[in-house]
Amino acid sequence: MSKDVTLRQLRYFVAAARTGRLSMAATDEHVSQSAVTNAILALEGQLGVRLFDRHPHGVTLTPEGHNFHQRAREVLDTLDDALREPGFQRYALRGSVRIAASYTVLGYFLPELLARFRKRYPDVVLDLVDMDRPAIEAAVASGEVELGVALVSNMDRRARFGHHVLVRSRRQLWAAAGHPLLARPVPTLADIAACPYILLEMDEGERSTLAYWQRHGLRPDIAFRTRSMEALRGLVAHGFGVTVLSDMVYRPWSLEGKKIEAVPIADAVPPMEAGLIWHPRAALARPAEAARQFMIHACGWQ
């Protein structure tokens, strides 16, 4: 990488990748849109690759951009950890923490976060349990586990727990490259309803999907149902249908290497929220409290 790449450029690039719109990235970073645009153009020039595909409705990461995004996040996360270091008692803590997590957060969100925690607290043992959301709620309520990490956007009564949103991931339309919907300035749910729909059923996917469709008085034309993310990607990439899913689980290609594009939707579609829950009255042991505080600070949601 060129020595002229700056942390500011990386921040603006990551913000654009997160929001999918240069204007929203500029707002989040409190700078002008031209500053974000120029930073990304400079990065692309220095790297010699195109990081984003530009569309009328925003930007999406190219395969090269997707790979660079992961690296850029690692750089920024490492810096953030270093700056927060004085606030944590590194190496001074021993014990274990029992954490229950659901399929989606275990597969697409939690491992990197826990790796950072383990680097800071190498003598704390992480006891991970794979559970669905209702089982996580029951385990936290009974004290079987100390912390739960789940899709809190699917919870009906999250206020009965201590809770904190760790990541809000927007939902977008996924379609094969060249799909007619991608030619629209900003597709609507009504546009999507006219196409075959691939429904992901894992982690209460059907329940959460149909809920926001029903709020708009619409229903997707479900052509296929699957509990496999890779099967869904393959079906979408080969043009069997479209879907609406969150950026947290997005990858721009199927296992066969066929392109999948993700674009914003005109209608108000709620984001997917992954977060922590804990017993509101039980005192957490020191390792569990350290894990709770670390995840909250590392993810930055307040």
Side-chain angles (χ1 to χ4, degrees):
M1 184 185 295
S2 166
K3 65 180 180 180
D4 296 325
V5 170
T6 67
L7 290 172
R8 182 176 291 108
Q9 288 174 326
L10 295 184
R11 281 206 324 271
Y12 295 175
F13 164 71
V14 167
R18 182 180 66 250
T19 62
R21 300 194 182 201
L22 300 184
S23 59
M24 291 178 64
T27 299
D28 285 357
E29 292 294 322
H30 308 289
V31 296
S32 67
Q33 184 172 331
S34 62
V36 174
T37 300
N38 291 336
I40 291 168
L41 289 173
L43 274 177
E44 290 179 324
Q46 289 160 331
L47 296 170
V49 297
R50 201 161 37 85
L51 297 174
F52 288 106
D53 286 324
R54 276 75 170 174
H55 309 285
H57 41 66
V59 294
T60 55
L61 288 168
T62 63
E64 295 81 8
H66 184 78
N67 289 334
F68 185 69
H69 178 249
Q70 292 179 303
R71 299 288 188 175
R73 282 290 310 275
E74 289 172 6
V75 170
L76 294 176
D77 287 345
T78 299
L79 175 62
D80 184 63
D81 287 349
L83 293 175
R84 295 182 189 276
E85 188 79 36
F88 293 90
Q89 295 180 338
R90 190 176 186 181
Y91 303 125
L93 193 61
R94 297 177 184 273
S96 65
V97 52
R98 189 166 172 81
I99 302 172
S102 61
Y103 177 91
T104 299
V105 296
L106 272 176
Y108 297 94
F109 169 66
L110 200 53
E112 180 184 0
L113 193 60
L114 292 183
R116 291 169 61 192
F117 175 80
R118 186 175 60 182
K119 185 177 180 181
R120 177 161 294 163
Y121 296 108
D123 294 321
V124 173
V125 176
L126 296 170
D127 183 4
L128 279 177
V129 187
D130 185 352
M131 295 181 175
D132 61 21
R133 181 192 55 80
I136 291 173
E137 292 186 38
V140 171
S142 69
E144 179 186 346
V145 301
E146 295 162 289
L147 298 172
V149 189
L151 301 184
V152 294
S153 48
N154 290 345
M155 293 176 65
D156 294 321
R157 298 168 54 214
R158 72 171 81 173
R160 68 192 180 103
F161 294 98
H163 62 276
H164 189 95
V165 173
L166 297 175
V167 60
R168 292 185 175 94
S169 182
R170 65 181 168 170
R171 289 182 168 105
Q172 298 197 92
L173 167 69
W174 293 15
H179 193 284
L181 281 183
L182 300 177
R184 297 178 179 270
V186 186
T188 66
L189 285 179
D191 295 329
I192 297 168
C195 300
Y197 191 89
I198 315 297
L199 180 67
L200 186 66
E201 294 186 313
M202 71 179 190
D203 256 356
E204 304 172 283
E206 181 168 4
R207 174 178 175 269
S208 59
T209 295
L210 296 183
Y212 63 77
W213 277 86
Q214 288 167 358
R215 284 197 290 272
H216 288 275
L218 296 166
R219 185 177 179 86
D221 180 14
I222 300 171
F224 296 94
R225 299 168 182 265
T226 179
R227 294 184 62 83
S228 166
M229 180 65 74
E230 296 308 330
L232 178 140
R233 288 196 182 102
L235 289 166
V236 170
H238 283 278
F240 285 96
V242 300
T243 196
V244 176
L245 283 173
S246 81
D247 288 348
M248 189 170 80
V249 297
Y250 174 68
R251 302 291 182 271
W253 51 80
S254 68
L255 281 177
E256 311 92 329
K258 291 190 69 70
K259 184 71 183 294
I260 300 168
E261 297 200 24
V263 298
I265 301 167
D267 302 282
V269 175
M272 184 178 75
E273 295 180 336
L276 272 170
I277 65 170
W278 59 90
H279 197 291
R281 293 177 298 279
L284 293 174
R286 287 185 64 219
E289 178 61 21
R292 186 179 76 91
Q293 290 293 338
F294 175 85
M295 284 190 269
I296 289 171
H297 286 294
C299 292
W301 284 100
Q302 300 300 327

